[in-house]
Amino acid sequence: QVQLVESGGGLVQPGGSLRLSCIASGSIVSINVMGWYRQAPGKQRELVAVINKGDSARFGDAVKGRFTISRDSAKNTVYLQMNSLKPGDTAVYYCNAVSASEEAYWGQGTQVTVSS
């Protein structure tokens, strides 16, 4: 069983930056891919970024060039660095992990609001 605990959400002005963290605990040895998805009011949940066990990352089109994803294996943590934030980035951001057996785990979500 894997538990995901998120932190770092909040209110930021357009053009600003935030750094989200997600700490995995429990039986984490089987995790293959970790990443972030987001869901804004009235919109579908969409991919933000994912990173695999080889540290290869993939980003959603809306955030390419602005967001980066990284991991710290010693801390069992993944990060999402969000730069040049836009009002359209306002959403609930969810941490996600997928095991080698394709079981999916989700954090509770953290609110990111980009507004002047």
Side-chain angles (χ1 to χ4, degrees), residues 50-113:
V50 294
I51 186 167
N52 67 15
K53 59 185 178 181
D55 291 333
S56 179
R58 178 167 57 90
F59 297 88
D61 289 342
V63 306
K64 287 180 180 177
R66 298 188 296 119
F67 292 8
T68 59
I69 186 169
S70 61
R71 65 168 60 178
D72 185 334
S73 59
K75 297 180 179 179
N76 298 317
T77 302
V78 299
Y79 304 94
L80 183 70
Q81 178 66 45
M82 304 185 292
N83 300 319
S84 301
L85 283 162
K86 306 173 181 179
D89 296 319
T90 296
V92 178
Y93 285 69
Y94 297 93
C95 184
N96 169 258
V98 181
S99 71
S101 60
E102 299 187 353
E103 286 187 74
Y105 304 90
W106 294 92
Q108 81 284 355
T110 184
Q111 177 71 45
V112 172
T113 302

Side-chain angles (χ1 to χ4, degrees), residues 5-54:
V5 180
E6 303 157 331
S7 63
L11 175 65
V12 66
Q13 294 184 4
S17 297
L18 282 175
R19 183 178 176 89
L20 305 184
S21 300
C22 176
I23 302 174
S25 62
S27 301
I28 63 174
V29 295
S30 65
I31 294 175
N32 189 11
V33 178
M34 295 189 70
W36 297 87
Y37 291 74
R38 69 186 186 185
Q39 188 164 23
K43 293 186 176 181
Q44 298 177 359
R45 183 172 59 184
E46 66 176 349
L47 169 71
V48 177
V50 294
I51 186 167
N52 67 15
K53 59 185 178 181

